[in-house]
Amino acid sequence: MEIIHVSAECYPMAKAGGLGDVVGALPKYQTKLGHIAKVVMPMYRTKFLYNHEFEVVHKGAFGMAHYWFEYTIIKEATNVLGFDLYLVDINGLLNREKIYGYDDDTERFTAFQIAVVDWMSKWHHHPDIVHVHDHQAGLVPFMMQHCYAYKNLSSIKTILTIHNAQYQGWMDWSKSNYIPDWDKWKSGLLEWDNTINSLASAIKCASKVNTVSHGYLEELMYMANGLEKLFQYERGKCFGILNGIDTEVWDPETDKYLDEKYGLKDFAEKKRANKKELCARFNLEENKPLIVFIGRLVGEKAADLLPQVIGDSIYFMEGKMNFLVLGSGDPYIEYQLSNLHIHLFGYYNTQIGYNEKLSHEMYAGADFLLMPSRIEPCGLNQMYALRYGTIPIVRRTGGLKDTVKDFGEPDGFGICFNTASVGDICHAVYRATELYDQPEKMNQIIQHIMQIDHSWERSTEIYLNLYRA
Ligand code: ADP
Ligand code: GLC
């Protein structure tokens, strides 16, 4: 099969979160199984771009509203990622350093999608599947089916993967002229709640839709940031497919970011060495349980609760544990977390920002990983933590519920709680400190979790079956 993934992120070219990890891995595993998997994404000005060689494969132009844009498609020349990576350049719109966060993101991603569809319409053959990821690629199925200029693509099957339904790509009807001319009878396929909604449009137009865990798909039926009714209506073509993790990148035995690599045989000694180094660097005590948080500092991740959880835990449990936070996001949460450091010096530390290397060192050196998420469509952090022998403390929601079982249950191995409240999270932290005081039990659990298989092989097959369907 020939599959084209359309996405705003793909690791290591550009990653803001799990979307990048997934789009950097799934095509690689599809290629390994003998399929042709290609990724097309915007040509942001990232380090990867400057450190690799590319060749120009296509040049074209399109109109968007009253403007005329020229675009160029380049392809990574050496197949270093294990699949073909194509980048779309549109001067003035995509030639930026960051992925998101600009005032003209609507214009940027609409133009990106038009360029992709325009390019595909010039091919001499048709791919089997166009697989779009999240709302930044959500207009593609509509454009392929209903824009006059691209009618030659209308028979190609499309798949939408929803990594996060909170963000939907809303666009006022006054911007409808951004979309290349279409059959106006079909306008309803663009709309939800009186506005153009890219994610809703893709849910309506894609041949099949999937979310990244079963648990999340069920939640969307009653909690989907306004799209609940649409999910209920389209339930028949929606599936849940749990993400995998790229075990070539995330393996404590070969991880290029770790000084002390380790496996099942030597984890006790080497994990301790990683922890010692991390604690020394961040002024923490290596003989206390180290609880870490890694992620976007936003409400979805319940990051707003972290300052109080950390303060209360350290205060009421008399400093029995240490916390280390790595993240970026909401400026107010960043400010609070930075400030807290002054009051809790020696018990807590933080690095605000995005740091791939440090994240690997934290998965390796920590005892526990905290994920109190209010919404977690899948969550990759807990799966990385498991592989690195770090016990996840998670709220029972979405993909977290599907991948972590409380150690109090038969065959359980993590710490689970039900509500994203300071009280519940602190209680879970307390249970972590109790568990830490039982080294034998800890070791048993670590051995068990390091062997849990969350590799992409299984999920890749399920995606292929979805394509075949
Ligand atoms: P989401 O995609 O919702 O942010 P996931 O759990 O699916 O959540 O994936 C998050 C990914 O981003 C993981 O690879 C995690 O290690 C990484 N990550 C998040 N924040 C940071 C950060 N500040 N520095 C380094 N890596 C980060
Ligand atoms: C999203 C979700 C996260 C998921 C990731 C990859 O960013 O928030 O839960 O793991 O996509 O699918």
Side-chain angles (χ1 to χ4, degrees):
M1 259 188 276
E2 182 177 355
I3 308 129
I4 316 300
H5 293 271
V6 188
S7 170
E9 297 180 33
C10 175
Y11 178 82
M13 166 60 193
K15 163 179 166 184
L19 170 64
D21 285 346
V22 170
V23 179
L26 176 60
K28 186 162 78 182
Y29 287 85
Q30 291 175 333
T31 308
K32 283 184 186 187
L33 291 181
H35 301 280
I36 302 169
K38 304 175 173 176
V39 171
V40 53
M41 67 184 298
M43 182 175 146
Y44 314 108
R45 297 326 194 231
T46 62
K47 264 196 201 144
F48 183 94
L49 177 71
Y50 297 116
N51 294 340
H52 291 78
E53 275 180 38
F54 291 86
E55 58 201 23
V56 174
V57 293
H58 181 76
K59 276 178 179 289
F62 60 86
M64 190 171 87
H66 308 299
Y67 298 95
W68 189 246
F69 288 98
E70 293 185 347
Y71 70 92
T72 307
I73 311 271
I74 60 172
K75 175 175 179 273
E76 198 278 323
T78 61
N79 204 280
V80 66
L81 302 181
F83 53 84
D84 290 337
L85 176 70
Y86 294 88
L87 308 180
V88 180
D89 192 25
I90 305 174
N91 251 326
L93 286 179
L94 300 179
N95 53 335
R96 318 254 177 101
E97 268 176 37
K98 282 194 305 174
I99 305 176
Y100 316 111
Y102 299 101
D103 288 342
D104 59 351
D105 277 357
T106 301
E107 286 75 7
R108 294 172 68 230
F109 287 106
T110 308
F112 160 64
Q113 295 176 81
I114 299 172
V116 172
V117 175
D118 191 77
W119 171 49
M120 285 194 300
S121 75
K122 305 290 187 302
W123 293 11
H124 296 301
H125 74 287
H126 278 165
D128 296 292
I129 298 286
V130 174
H131 188 153
V132 304
H133 296 265
D134 273 354
H135 76 82
Q136 297 88 356
L139 294 173
V140 168
F142 177 87
M143 288 194 221
M144 288 170 59
Q145 284 155 28
H146 304 295
C147 290
Y148 297 124
Y150 306 127
K151 280 279 182 196
N152 66 330
L153 302 176
S154 63
S155 63
I156 303 174
K157 300 295 176 199
T158 53
I159 304 274
L160 164 71
T161 295
I162 300 174
H163 299 264
N164 196 329
Q166 286 301 106
Y167 309 98
Q168 300 172 2
W170 301 274
M171 195 163 138
D172 193 80
W173 271 106
S174 62
K175 293 188 174 178
S176 65
N177 60 346
Y178 288 7
I179 301 169
D181 255 359
W182 77 89
D183 177 354
K184 294 294 182 288
W185 281 96
K186 306 290 182 191
S187 298
L189 293 173
L190 286 171
E191 186 178 79
W192 192 257
D193 213 5
N194 297 322
T195 153
I196 296 177
N197 181 316
S198 307
L199 191 72
S201 169
I203 297 168
K204 295 177 190 186
C205 296
S207 321
K208 300 271 184 230
V209 175
N210 83 287
T211 66
V212 287
S213 70
H214 289 102
Y216 186 54
L217 178 60
E218 295 314 320
E219 281 171 18
L220 289 177
M221 300 298 149
Y222 57 88
M223 195 178 62
N225 204 8
L227 297 184
E228 299 78 8
K229 287 267 172 348
L230 180 59
F231 279 108
Q232 289 163 21
Y233 187 75
E234 298 284 9
R235 178 71 179 88
K237 68 172 184 191
C238 296
F239 301 83
I241 304 179
L242 194 68
N243 286 330
I245 60 171
D246 188 343
T247 45
E248 287 173 13
V249 178
W250 297 93
D251 179 354
E253 285 200 281
T254 55
D255 192 323
K256 65 174 180 187
Y257 292 118
L258 300 185
D259 291 333
E260 297 285 352
K261 307 185 196 325
Y262 59 94
L264 258 186
K265 289 205 184 90
D266 54 355
F267 73 84
E269 173 201 339
K270 296 288 175 62
K271 242 183 111 58
R272 200 174 318 120
N274 281 303
K275 179 177 178 185
K276 187 173 176 185
E277 199 285 320
L278 200 59
C279 287
R281 204 185 324 161
F282 286 98
N283 290 311
L284 302 170
E285 283 180 44
E286 59 172 296
N287 53 358
K288 292 183 180 172
L290 176 61
I291 303 173
V292 300
F293 175 96
I294 301 167
R296 294 182 290 120
L297 301 176
V298 294
E300 261 174 72
K301 305 279 178 194
D304 50 311
L305 302 181
L306 286 177
Q308 201 184 338
V309 165
I310 293 170
D312 284 6
S313 300
I314 291 172
Y315 184 73
F316 291 114
M317 290 175 243
E318 295 166 349
K320 264 190 87 177
M321 77 299 286
N322 282 174
F323 287 93
L324 180 59
V325 172
L326 166 64
S328 60
D330 183 330
Y332 184 60
I333 304 177
E334 287 184 359
Y335 165 79
Q336 280 186 310
L337 283 169
S338 303
N339 247 3
L340 201 63
H341 172 52
I342 304 162
H343 306 289
L344 300 174
F345 187 82
Y347 296 97
Y348 157 77
N349 211 335
T350 182
Q351 177 143 338
I352 300 297
Y354 188 90
N355 188 331
E356 192 74 27
K357 181 172 192 295
L358 178 58
S359 74
H360 285 244
E361 291 167 333
M362 287 169 69
Y363 290 118
D367 298 297
F368 300 94
L369 173 97
L370 178 61
M371 288 183 83
S373 310
R374 293 192 175 92
I375 295 170
E376 198 60 80
C378 176
L380 298 173
N381 297 19
Q382 82 280 12
M383 296 199 260
Y384 298 144
L386 292 170
R387 188 156 173 86
Y388 283 63
T390 298
I391 299 174
I393 307 174
V394 305
R395 176 168 171 251
R396 285 192 186 91
T397 184
L400 298 176
K401 195 170 64 184
D402 292 4
T403 52
V404 182
K405 199 169 180 191
D406 192 89
F407 77 97
E409 297 168 33
D411 303 324
F413 48 82
I415 297 176
C416 303
F417 56 95
N418 289 332
T419 46
S421 66
V422 173
D424 256 29
I425 305 172
C426 287
H427 184 250
V429 167
Y430 168 74
R431 290 184 67 214
T433 61
E434 294 274 287
L435 180 58
Y436 186 80
D437 286 339
Q438 307 167 54
E440 231 170 83
K441 179 103 187 143
M442 280 284 286
N443 271 354
Q444 253 175 22
I445 293 182
I446 294 174
Q447 273 188 16
H448 174 67
I449 61 180
M450 285 181 74
Q451 296 181 72
I452 296 177
D453 182 8
H454 278 302
S455 60
W456 264 110
E457 272 87 6
R458 194 182 39 89
S459 301
T460 306
E461 265 311 325
I462 304 176
Y463 270 107
L464 291 171
N465 284 337
L466 191 64
Y467 298 162
R468 288 183 193 113

Short mmCIF file of all heavy atoms in Angstrom, two decimals, residues 18-19 22 163-164 212 243 296 300-301 376-380, ligand 2:
data_model
loop_
_atom_site.label_atom_id
_atom_site.label_comp_id
_atom_site.label_asym_id
_atom_site.label_seq_id
_atom_site.Cartn_x
_atom_site.Cartn_y
_atom_site.Cartn_z
N GLY A 18 3.30 14.55 21.61
CA GLY A 18 3.18 13.17 21.16
C GLY A 18 2.84 13.01 19.69
O GLY A 18 3.21 12.00 19.07
N LEU A 19 2.15 13.98 19.10
CA LEU A 19 1.83 13.91 17.66
C LEU A 19 3.12 13.70 16.86
O LEU A 19 3.18 12.86 15.94
CB LEU A 19 1.11 15.19 17.22
CG LEU A 19 0.92 15.38 15.71
CD1 LEU A 19 0.02 14.29 15.13
CD2 LEU A 19 0.34 16.76 15.42
N VAL A 22 4.44 10.13 17.23
CA VAL A 22 3.65 9.13 16.51
C VAL A 22 3.92 9.20 15.01
O VAL A 22 4.17 8.19 14.35
CB VAL A 22 2.14 9.32 16.81
CG1 VAL A 22 1.28 8.45 15.89
CG2 VAL A 22 1.84 8.99 18.27
N HIS A 163 -5.61 12.99 17.57
CA HIS A 163 -4.68 12.90 18.71
C HIS A 163 -5.19 13.76 19.85
O HIS A 163 -4.82 13.56 21.00
CB HIS A 163 -3.29 13.36 18.29
CG HIS A 163 -2.69 12.52 17.20
ND1 HIS A 163 -1.84 11.49 17.46
CD2 HIS A 163 -2.87 12.54 15.85
CE1 HIS A 163 -1.49 10.90 16.31
NE2 HIS A 163 -2.12 11.52 15.32
N ASN A 164 -5.99 14.75 19.49
CA ASN A 164 -6.50 15.65 20.53
C ASN A 164 -7.69 16.42 19.98
O ASN A 164 -7.53 17.20 19.04
CB ASN A 164 -5.40 16.63 20.94
CG ASN A 164 -5.71 17.29 22.24
OD1 ASN A 164 -6.90 17.50 22.57
ND2 ASN A 164 -4.70 17.63 23.01
N VAL A 212 -6.61 7.81 19.57
CA VAL A 212 -5.39 7.09 19.91
C VAL A 212 -5.50 6.18 21.13
O VAL A 212 -4.49 5.70 21.64
CB VAL A 212 -4.21 8.08 20.02
CG1 VAL A 212 -3.80 8.56 18.63
CG2 VAL A 212 -4.56 9.27 20.90
N ASN A 243 -1.70 4.09 20.64
CA ASN A 243 -0.37 4.37 20.09
C ASN A 243 0.62 3.34 20.59
O ASN A 243 0.46 2.75 21.65
CB ASN A 243 0.13 5.73 20.59
CG ASN A 243 -0.57 6.88 19.93
OD1 ASN A 243 -1.00 6.78 18.78
ND2 ASN A 243 -0.67 8.00 20.64
N ARG A 296 3.50 19.41 28.61
CA ARG A 296 2.99 20.75 28.34
C ARG A 296 2.32 21.28 29.60
O ARG A 296 1.53 20.57 30.24
CB ARG A 296 2.01 20.70 27.17
CG ARG A 296 2.69 20.31 25.86
CD ARG A 296 1.73 20.29 24.69
NE ARG A 296 0.78 19.20 24.75
CZ ARG A 296 -0.53 19.34 24.78
NH1 ARG A 296 -1.05 20.56 24.79
NH2 ARG A 296 -1.33 18.30 24.83
N GLU A 300 -5.21 20.84 30.38
CA GLU A 300 -5.46 19.44 29.99
C GLU A 300 -4.60 18.47 30.80
O GLU A 300 -5.02 17.37 31.13
CB GLU A 300 -4.99 19.25 28.56
CG GLU A 300 -5.99 19.29 27.50
CD GLU A 300 -5.22 19.23 26.17
OE1 GLU A 300 -4.70 18.18 25.85
OE2 GLU A 300 -5.15 20.28 25.51
N LYS A 301 -3.38 18.89 31.08
CA LYS A 301 -2.44 18.02 31.82
C LYS A 301 -2.55 18.24 33.32
O LYS A 301 -1.77 17.70 34.09
CB LYS A 301 -1.00 18.31 31.39
CG LYS A 301 -0.75 18.19 29.90
CD LYS A 301 -0.56 16.75 29.48
CE LYS A 301 -0.35 16.64 27.97
NZ LYS A 301 -0.48 15.28 27.47
N GLU A 376 -6.43 12.97 28.48
CA GLU A 376 -5.22 12.33 27.92
C GLU A 376 -5.62 11.32 26.86
O GLU A 376 -5.88 10.16 27.15
CB GLU A 376 -4.40 11.67 29.03
CG GLU A 376 -2.97 11.37 28.64
CD GLU A 376 -2.18 12.62 28.26
OE1 GLU A 376 -1.72 13.34 29.17
OE2 GLU A 376 -2.06 12.88 27.05
N PRO A 377 -5.69 11.77 25.60
CA PRO A 377 -6.14 10.88 24.52
C PRO A 377 -5.37 9.56 24.47
O PRO A 377 -5.97 8.51 24.30
CB PRO A 377 -5.89 11.72 23.27
CG PRO A 377 -6.04 13.13 23.75
CD PRO A 377 -5.47 13.15 25.14
N CYS A 378 -4.07 9.61 24.61
CA CYS A 378 -3.31 8.36 24.76
C CYS A 378 -2.29 8.57 25.87
O CYS A 378 -2.34 7.95 26.91
CB CYS A 378 -2.61 7.96 23.46
SG CYS A 378 -1.59 6.50 23.69
N GLY A 379 -1.36 9.49 25.61
CA GLY A 379 -0.26 9.68 26.55
C GLY A 379 0.87 8.73 26.16
O GLY A 379 0.66 7.52 26.06
N LEU A 380 2.02 9.31 25.89
CA LEU A 380 3.18 8.47 25.57
C LEU A 380 4.11 8.43 26.77
O LEU A 380 4.80 7.44 27.00
CB LEU A 380 3.93 9.05 24.36
CG LEU A 380 3.12 9.10 23.06
CD1 LEU A 380 3.88 9.84 21.98
CD2 LEU A 380 2.77 7.69 22.60
C1 GLC B 2 -1.92 14.25 21.73
C2 GLC B 2 -2.48 13.77 23.04
C3 GLC B 2 -1.66 12.67 23.69
C4 GLC B 2 -1.28 11.63 22.67
C5 GLC B 2 -0.57 12.29 21.52
C6 GLC B 2 -0.13 11.30 20.44
O1 GLC B 2 -1.04 15.27 21.83
O2 GLC B 2 -2.65 14.84 23.95
O3 GLC B 2 -2.40 12.08 24.74
O4 GLC B 2 -0.44 10.66 23.26
O5 GLC B 2 -1.40 13.21 20.91
O6 GLC B 2 -1.20 10.62 19.88
#
